[in-house]
Amino acid sequence: MDALELLVNRRSASRLAEPAPAGEQLDNILRAGMRAPDHGTLQPWHFFVIEGQGRERFSQTLEQAATAAGQDEKGIEKARTSPFRAPLIIAVVAKCEEHHKVPLWEQLLSAGCAVMAMQMAALAQGFNGIWRTGPLTDSAVVRQAFDCREQDKIVGFLYLGTPQLKASTTVTVPDTTPFVTHF
């Protein structure tokens, strides 16, 4: 797939099924994440691949976090079932360090770029996904499960698999005018 076509026609897919990227496909996705812009070559990220029994462990973690947050039964059930929306999830944690040239916000953006690069690599190989966050990314229970230190931040959960619904082939070309100023 042409890189420019991929970027300007990108869409998230929330209904995902098997097969998920595996083997060389998954390696390509992770390598793409490692190529994110990275001032100071700090590599301020860590990727947690969640599949198979890992989805069950992630489900238990989210259920505990939702319970600790005082969510109602509907919220707890949503948390418990969310890891089963896709056959593969990659959790991305910004592993931030105090640095004299690279502020923490820039390290967070770099980890965010890694998520975008991984989603594009999945699309380029015929898969799709959706980048999810939510209030439980800041939960102490979830942060502990992903070995977050105080300065670290979970920047997202990239749900990946094969889209169940075919995306529309017509994409509305966005009007960039309200978002662009020539300085």
Side-chain angles (χ1 to χ4, degrees):
M1 176 179 284
D2 175 77
L4 186 57
E5 180 184 340
L6 178 108
L7 290 167
V8 298
N9 292 302
R10 185 209 70 78
R11 300 176 180 214
S12 294
S14 59
R15 292 192 176 188
L16 302 160
E18 296 283 352
E24 186 177 357
Q25 296 161 331
L26 180 56
D27 289 343
N28 287 337
I29 290 167
L30 296 169
R31 282 194 294 269
M34 296 291 295
R35 297 299 304 146
D38 175 20
H39 184 190
T41 60
L42 299 178
Q43 298 180 311
W45 49 65
H46 192 88
F47 310 137
F48 291 84
V49 177
I50 304 166
E51 59 188 338
Q53 290 299 319
R55 290 189 308 160
E56 183 60 43
R57 287 189 296 279
F58 188 36
S59 169
Q60 292 168 4
T61 298
L62 292 177
E63 180 180 8
Q64 291 170 5
T67 301
Q71 292 189 13
D72 62 15
E73 278 304 312
K74 185 176 178 182
I76 293 169
E77 179 63 18
K78 182 179 178 183
R80 179 178 31 249
T81 60
S82 67
F84 304 105
R85 296 181 197 167
L88 173 69
I89 304 163
I90 301 174
V92 179
V93 177
K95 293 289 190 176
C96 300
E97 300 295 340
E98 288 294 329
H99 191 275
H100 67 285
K101 285 187 177 180
V102 185
L104 295 177
W105 66 264
E106 196 172 331
Q107 295 174 54
L108 286 170
L109 288 176
S110 184
C113 287
V115 179
M116 176 73 172
M118 288 190 289
Q119 187 175 14
M120 296 303 95
L123 271 139
Q125 298 178 99
F127 299 97
N128 205 331
I130 188 166
W131 180 351
R132 295 186 183 275
T133 57
L136 294 182
T137 59
D138 290 324
S139 158
V141 173
V142 176
R143 289 176 52 76
Q144 181 180 15
F146 290 103
D147 299 322
C148 292
R149 302 164 301 167
E150 184 178 333
Q151 70 270 30
D152 298 338
K153 179 82 173 159
I154 298 170
V155 296
F157 300 104
L158 183 58
Y159 285 65
L160 296 172
T162 300
Q164 289 184 328
L165 301 175
K166 186 170 174 75
S168 171
T169 56
T170 58
V171 175
T172 304
V173 178
D175 177 12
T176 61
T177 306
F179 303 96
V180 177
T181 300
H182 294 270
F183 187 73

